[in-house]
């Protein structure tokens, strides 16, 4: 038996419910040996006697200790210190038969200590050798396992990357095909062309409105300045106010102002209508592209969504010039100007 197994057995015996019984038997065993040796002490070495007496004393201390962990620690340390056999070992039976022979008991104790030392060295050597071998074998197994896993991971990564690359290529092909199909479709072409046309018309009408505003503003300014210079001064509520010399000037100012405002208003309305048509064309082209993309992704579109799509796509346009955009009655204004001119002549 090695020292390690001896101490392990003692700890196990003391940790159970029969631990106090084990301690009592141990103490009684060595107490009995002490009494027998005192009857014939001549052939027993003093060191052996002191060892036995000290061991009995420490066992007695452990018996009085209530804490189990503390008790186990005392007994184990006593056995490590004195290296005596216990009452429940096989060698204890031999000791009982030679109690009357002190020299034989001393020899038995010495042989037991030498046996423990020898077995402990053997156990340590074997344990170390086995441990080193196990560590080496385990390290090799771990290395082989890691290498195998690394190869599998690399292989799986390569296969996964190939699948991802193939999926990306397929997706790019699908997107390219869908994009080309949408871009080349006649409805999309129609609405994109119409969008560009209305955008250009809106720009032209905007420029025309700006040009008309500048022209009529300039003419109106020149006419007012001319009439102011050639006009007559009239006192109104004590204040001198310059007015046109005749009614023709007033009628011409009214005609010019009305024509200018109407022209600018018409151009602005045409510009706004084309802007609205441009936005509507963009919306309908986007609707067609979205519908085609959804068809590519989902395969089929429900009848309700199809009905909603076609209803929205083919709805009539609401952007048109209203009736109030028509020209004012210039004939009456011209007639008033001519009458005014005739009276003056």
């Amino acid at each position: 038996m090695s020292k390690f197994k001896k101490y392990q057995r003692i700890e196990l015996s003391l940790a159970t419910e029969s631990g106090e019984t084990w301690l009592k038997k141990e103490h009684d065993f060595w107490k009995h040996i002490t009494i027998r040796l005192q009857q014939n002490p001549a052939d027993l070495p003093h060191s052996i006697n002191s060892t036995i007496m000290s061991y009995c004393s420490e066992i007695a201390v452990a018996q009085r200790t209530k804490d189990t962990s503390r008790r186990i620690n005392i007994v184990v340390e006593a056995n490590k210190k004195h290296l005596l056999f216990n009452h429940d070992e096989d060698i204890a039976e031999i000791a009982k038969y030679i109690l009357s022979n002190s020299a034989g008991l001393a020899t038995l104790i010495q042989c037991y200590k030498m046996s423990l030392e020898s077995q402990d060295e053997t156990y340590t050597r074997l344990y170390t050798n086995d441990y080193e071998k196990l560590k080496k074998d385990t390290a090799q197994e771990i290395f082989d396992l890691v290498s195998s896993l690394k190869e599998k991971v690399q292989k799986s990564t390569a296969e996964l990357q190939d699948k991802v690359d193939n999926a990306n290529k397929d997706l790019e092909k699908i997107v390219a095909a869908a994009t080309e199909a949408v871009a080349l479709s006649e409805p999309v072409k129609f609405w994109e062309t119409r969008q560009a046309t209305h955008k250009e018309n809106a720009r032209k009408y905007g420029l025309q409105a700006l040009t008309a505003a500048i022209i009529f503003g300039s003419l109106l300014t020149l006419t007012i300045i001319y009439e102011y210079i050639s006009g007559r001064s009239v006192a109104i509520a004590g204040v001198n106010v310059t007015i046109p010399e005749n009614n023709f000037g007033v009628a011409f100012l009214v005609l010019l102002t009305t024509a200018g405002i109407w022209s600018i208003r018409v151009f602005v309305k045409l510009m706004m209508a084309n802007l609205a048509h441009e936005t509507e064309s963009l919306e309908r082209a986007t609707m067609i592209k979205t519908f085609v993309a959804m068809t590519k992704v989902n395969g089929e579109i429900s009848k309700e969504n199809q009905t909603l799509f076609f209803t929205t796509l083919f709805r009539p346009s609401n952007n048109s010039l209203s009736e109030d955009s028509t020209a004012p009655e210039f004939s009456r204004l011209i007639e008033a100007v001519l009458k005014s001119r005739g009276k003056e002549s």
Side-chain angles (χ1 to χ4, degrees):
M1 178 185 295
S2 65
K3 291 180 182 179
F4 176 77
K5 290 184 178 181
K6 175 182 175 68
Y7 304 145
Q8 191 178 43
R9 181 181 56 80
I10 293 173
E11 291 179 0
L12 183 61
S13 299
L14 294 176
T16 59
E17 296 180 356
S18 60
E20 294 182 1
T21 303
W22 189 93
L23 269 178
K24 185 177 184 305
K25 289 181 179 181
E26 181 76 3
H27 183 268
D28 293 344
F29 173 75
W30 286 105
K31 191 70 176 176
H32 179 67
I33 291 178
T34 303
I35 295 173
R36 293 294 299 271
L37 291 175
Q38 288 176 354
Q39 295 174 0
N40 188 19
D43 298 329
L44 185 69
H46 179 71
S47 60
I48 299 295
N49 188 39
S50 299
T51 299
I52 295 173
M53 295 294 292
S54 177
Y55 181 69
C56 288
S57 176
E58 292 176 11
I59 293 299
V61 172
Q63 282 183 299
R64 295 191 296 271
T65 303
K66 301 298 182 183
D67 183 60
T68 303
S69 299
R70 174 68 176 161
R71 180 190 302 163
I72 293 173
N73 186 57
I74 293 173
V75 175
V76 171
E77 291 299 323
N79 278 270
K80 288 181 179 180
K81 179 180 178 183
H82 303 296
L83 292 179
L84 297 174
F85 49 82
N86 304 117
H87 70 279
D88 54 351
E89 294 185 50
D90 295 337
I91 196 172
E93 296 297 327
I94 300 174
K96 291 179 182 179
Y97 291 105
I98 60 173
L99 286 179
S100 57
N101 186 350
S102 300
L105 181 61
T107 302
L108 185 64
I109 292 174
Q110 288 295 341
C111 290
Y112 179 77
K113 289 184 178 180
M114 292 173 62
S115 175
L116 279 181
E117 294 291 347
S118 176
Q119 291 186 31
D120 190 61
E121 291 177 1
T122 303
Y123 176 80
T124 303
R125 184 177 66 256
L126 293 175
Y127 176 81
T128 303
N129 293 338
D130 292 343
Y131 172 74
E132 291 297 331
K133 184 177 182 302
L134 178 63
K135 183 170 69 172
K136 184 177 180 181
D137 294 342
T138 304
Q140 185 62 38
E141 290 179 2
I142 293 175
F143 177 78
D144 295 340
L145 179 61
V146 170
S147 300
S148 177
L149 289 175
K150 184 178 179 181
E151 292 177 0
K152 291 181 179 179
V153 169
Q154 290 176 347
K155 183 178 179 181
S156 300
T157 303
E159 292 177 355
L160 182 61
Q161 186 63 43
D162 291 340
K163 291 181 180 179
V164 172
D165 293 339
N166 293 333
N168 287 334
K169 290 179 181 178
D170 293 340
L171 184 60
E172 290 175 358
K173 291 179 181 178
I174 294 173
V175 172
T179 303
E180 184 179 1
V182 171
L184 297 178
S185 61
E186 291 299 326
V188 174
K189 278 187 176 181
F190 169 77
W191 288 111
E192 288 182 346
T193 303
R194 184 174 177 182
Q195 174 193 354
T197 302
H198 286 300
K199 182 177 182 179
E200 181 63 21
N201 289 339
R203 187 185 68 81
K204 290 180 180 179
Y205 286 127
L207 291 176
Q208 291 176 2
L210 179 62
T211 303
I214 294 173
I215 293 173
F216 284 111
S218 301
L219 291 175
L220 184 62
T221 301
L222 293 174
T223 302
I224 291 174
I225 293 173
Y226 173 78
E227 293 295 337
Y228 182 81
I229 293 174
S230 61
R232 64 179 184 275
S233 179
V234 178
I236 301 175
V239 179
N240 291 327
V241 178
T242 301
I243 62 174
E245 183 67 25
N246 48 53
N247 294 333
F248 174 79
V250 176
F252 183 73
L253 284 175
V254 172
L255 177 64
L256 183 62
T257 303
T258 303
I261 293 175
W262 174 81
S263 299
I264 295 172
R265 183 164 177 256
V266 169
F267 286 133
V268 170
K269 274 187 168 290
L270 289 172
M271 180 188 69
M272 295 303 295
N274 278 275
L275 287 175
H277 284 303
E278 177 193 357
T279 303
E280 182 184 18
S281 300
L282 177 62
E283 289 177 354
R284 300 201 185 196
T286 304
M287 277 194 299
I288 296 173
K289 293 178 181 179
T290 305
F291 183 79
V292 173
M294 290 175 63
T295 305
K296 292 290 183 181
V297 174
N298 298 328
E300 293 184 359
I301 305 296
S302 62
K303 292 183 178 180
E304 292 79 6
N305 291 333
Q306 290 183 11
T307 303
L308 178 62
F309 167 74
F310 289 119
T311 302
T312 307
L313 180 64
F314 295 113
R315 73 180 186 276
S317 176
N318 295 324
N319 298 312
S320 59
L321 294 177
S322 56
E323 294 180 357
D324 59 356
S325 300
T326 55
E329 296 181 356
F330 283 107
S331 58
R332 295 184 180 180
L333 293 175
I334 295 173
E335 183 180 353
V337 171
L338 293 176
K339 287 182 178 180
S340 173
R341 195 71 173 173
K343 290 179 180 179
E344 291 176 359
S345 58

